[in-house]
Amino acid sequence: MNTKERKEFNVQFWRFLWASILIGLSACLGNVVDAMIVGNLIDEDSVSAINLSLPFLQFMFTINMLLATGAGMLVGMELGKGDTRRASYIFVVSMSACLLTGFVLTACGVLIPDVVTRLLCDHEQLYQPTYEYLRVTLIGAPAYLLMWGLDTMVSVDGSPRLVSVSILVDNVLHLVLDVVFIKYFGWGIEGSAWAAVIGHVVGIAMMAIHFLSKENHLRLSCGRQKPVLGPIVSQGAPLAIASICLTVLMFSANKIILSSLGRTGIYAFALCMNLLLIYNLFLGGVCRTIQSLGSIQVGKGDNEAFTLVLRKSFNFITVAMAITCIYLRIFAVCLIPFCYIYTIMIVYKLYNYHHMALFISFALSLTVIPVLWLFSLYAEEWIWYGYLTAYIIEMVVIFVLHKMTHVKFELTDNNQ
């Protein structure tokens, strides 16, 4: 890579990275402001109803990782090889699977919304607002899954800025419609749910502009090819499993900390986790960049360019975490290893070491639960170091397994 090529590559890297961070920032601020609007225009029970519905949203996000995020990496690899026909086929299969799953959830929203609501809420006072919000969210499931899927595909096909603008407009429209539907139409909590769905539909329409541009490499018509649903699920499985395990970790950590430190402890923990949303901006931006720009270099078989993507990504996240720690102190330090471990999981996946990626997806969260539990029993005052202790143990185990299995971070024909 000569000086000119390196300069152009650096511009491309930062374009992907900052667009990805903007996507995360837009979604994060949208969620916070949405809760404020609902709390002020309706009541606290409605805010609680949205929070009680979050496991379902996380479930849909996990489906997206399984069907679209992994597929996005495969598309990037095929684009790197120059095989746009194969990339288009993977794109069509992935989006079709997302839509089909979304319509199944829509049917649940029409036929059995009460059953789904009872799974998430057994509190009589909160049941009705949760039912109203969740029913609309179920009906709008195809919009959620297609929005998140196109977000991945359009980014990897070279239009991350369009994605970031689309998501920004999606969130702004969502918040504006929140006020209109709740305050002026009197739709209550259902209005907030419909505002989110309509925002996603507009975001989808904006991202669809990419497929009319000359830069688009993905086509809806690609003919019959070898089945790809299995590889798509395999590629996305570690990320999906990690998402499920993180949900289990949050549930378990809340239980352990509440039982050992009471209301004061769980309040402190909640504040820490909310403040650390900033970590998700940096971590999410880096991971999306590796998945999109990195997968293209894997497809090309360009060791130098892929190594450069990884080096710049790890350098960026190291600096970002160091700055964050200055403001968030102790608990932020505990999650530094988490960011490294999560990122390295994606690296293992792109290098085709699926067994290592799968191991990390389970260990990333499930190691923390027994460590937290032991701290709560024998060293309650040190419980805040439970995360750090668990992640250090994980890093040691990953290093040992890395050496034992003779892993080599080099692109080969198997990666391409």
Side-chain angles (χ1 to χ4, degrees):
M1 189 179 292
N2 58 40
T3 304
K4 181 180 179 181
E5 290 173 336
R6 183 176 287 267
K7 185 176 180 180
E8 291 175 351
F9 186 84
N10 286 339
V11 171
Q12 188 180 24
F13 173 83
W14 289 110
R15 180 163 61 90
F16 268 90
L17 181 62
W18 288 116
S20 297
I21 290 174
L22 181 59
I23 289 170
L25 179 62
S26 173
C28 176
L29 291 178
N31 290 337
V32 172
V33 177
D34 183 35
M36 292 172 60
I37 291 173
V38 171
N40 280 285
L41 295 183
I42 309 179
D43 53 31
E44 293 180 358
D45 285 348
S46 296
V47 177
S48 298
I50 294 176
N51 287 332
L52 288 169
S53 302
L54 287 180
F56 173 71
L57 292 173
Q58 184 66 32
F59 169 71
M60 286 200 295
F61 191 66
T62 301
I63 292 174
N64 167 71
M65 287 184 166
L66 194 63
L67 299 178
T69 304
M73 288 189 276
L74 293 177
V75 166
M77 292 177 192
E78 297 301 332
L79 291 176
K81 296 176 188 177
D83 191 346
T84 57
R85 190 165 178 270
R86 183 67 173 172
S88 296
Y89 183 66
I90 296 170
F91 162 71
V92 169
V93 172
S94 172
M95 294 300 96
S96 299
C98 286
L99 278 175
L100 179 61
T101 306
F103 288 131
V104 170
L105 295 175
T106 296
C108 292
V110 174
L111 301 174
I112 54 168
D114 53 332
V115 174
V116 180
T117 304
R118 285 295 179 192
L119 291 174
L120 299 177
C121 177
D122 57 3
H123 192 287
E124 287 305 319
Q125 186 175 345
L126 297 176
Y127 173 82
Q128 189 59 33
T130 304
Y131 170 87
E132 293 173 3
Y133 185 84
L134 195 56
R135 184 180 66 85
V136 176
T137 304
L138 280 161
I139 292 172
Y144 278 88
L145 291 172
L146 188 58
M147 174 71 180
W148 293 335
L150 286 178
D151 153 342
T152 299
M153 297 300 176
V154 173
S155 288
V156 80
D157 198 29
S159 296
R161 286 180 180 172
L162 175 61
V163 171
S164 59
V165 172
S166 300
I167 292 181
L168 181 62
V169 171
D170 173 354
N171 278 277
V172 171
L173 183 60
H174 173 191
L175 300 178
V176 170
L177 291 179
D178 257 353
V179 176
V180 173
F181 290 163
I182 296 172
K183 186 174 182 179
Y184 298 105
F185 286 19
W187 289 0
I189 190 65
E190 286 190 353
S192 180
W194 279 119
V197 172
I198 293 172
H200 289 340
V201 171
V202 172
I204 290 168
M206 290 185 64
M207 282 191 284
I209 295 172
H210 169 78
F211 300 103
L212 303 176
S213 69
K214 295 180 180 179
E215 289 76 22
N216 170 46
H217 299 96
L218 302 176
R219 302 289 184 267
L220 292 179
S221 177
C222 49
R224 292 181 60 83
Q225 295 195 28
K226 291 189 299 183
V228 292
L229 189 57
I232 286 173
V233 172
S234 174
Q235 192 75 13
L239 297 171
I241 291 170
S243 176
I244 294 170
C245 291
L246 282 171
T247 303
V248 173
L249 171 59
M250 286 299 301
F251 177 79
S252 302
N254 284 340
K255 291 287 187 180
I256 292 170
I257 291 173
L258 184 60
S259 63
S260 59
L261 301 181
R263 292 175 62 192
T264 302
I266 198 64
Y267 177 70
F269 181 63
L271 287 179
C272 287
M273 296 310 293
N274 285 329
L275 287 172
L276 287 170
L277 284 174
I278 192 171
Y279 259 23
N280 285 335
L281 303 182
F282 299 132
L283 179 61
V286 164
C287 289
R288 288 173 64 91
T289 301
I290 294 174
Q291 290 166 354
S292 301
L293 187 57
S295 63
I296 294 172
Q297 311 315 316
V298 171
K300 291 179 179 178
D302 192 335
N303 264 300
E304 182 184 1
F306 186 51
T307 302
L308 188 58
V309 171
L310 298 182
R311 184 185 305 124
K312 293 175 76 67
S313 296
F314 276 99
N315 287 344
F316 174 82
I317 201 169
T318 298
V319 173
M321 289 189 298
I323 294 173
T324 305
C325 287
I326 294 174
Y327 295 97
L328 302 184
R329 310 292 175 85
I330 297 297
F331 196 74
V333 175
C334 296
L335 294 192
I336 287 178
F338 169 83
C339 292
Y340 284 127
I341 294 170
Y342 192 92
T343 306
I344 202 70
M345 176 181 69
I346 296 172
V347 174
Y348 276 120
K349 193 65 186 172
L350 286 172
Y351 274 116
N352 216 24
Y353 290 108
H354 304 300
H355 59 288
M356 289 294 294
L358 200 59
F359 168 77
I360 293 173
S361 68
F362 280 104
L364 191 63
S365 298
L366 300 185
T367 306
V368 181
I369 297 173
V371 173
L372 276 180
W373 178 69
L374 289 172
F375 269 93
S376 71
L377 292 179
Y378 302 109
E380 192 176 276
E381 67 277 13
W382 296 97
I383 196 170
W384 300 115
Y385 291 92
Y387 277 80
L388 180 60
T389 303
Y391 291 138
I392 289 175
I393 293 172
E394 287 176 31
M395 292 180 76
V396 171
V397 173
I398 291 169
F399 177 78
V400 171
L401 289 176
H402 183 97
K403 292 296 184 182
M404 288 177 61
T405 53
H406 306 290
V407 170
K408 292 183 179 179
F409 283 157
E410 295 178 359
L411 295 181
T412 64
D413 290 339
N414 290 330
N415 300 117
Q416 300 174 51

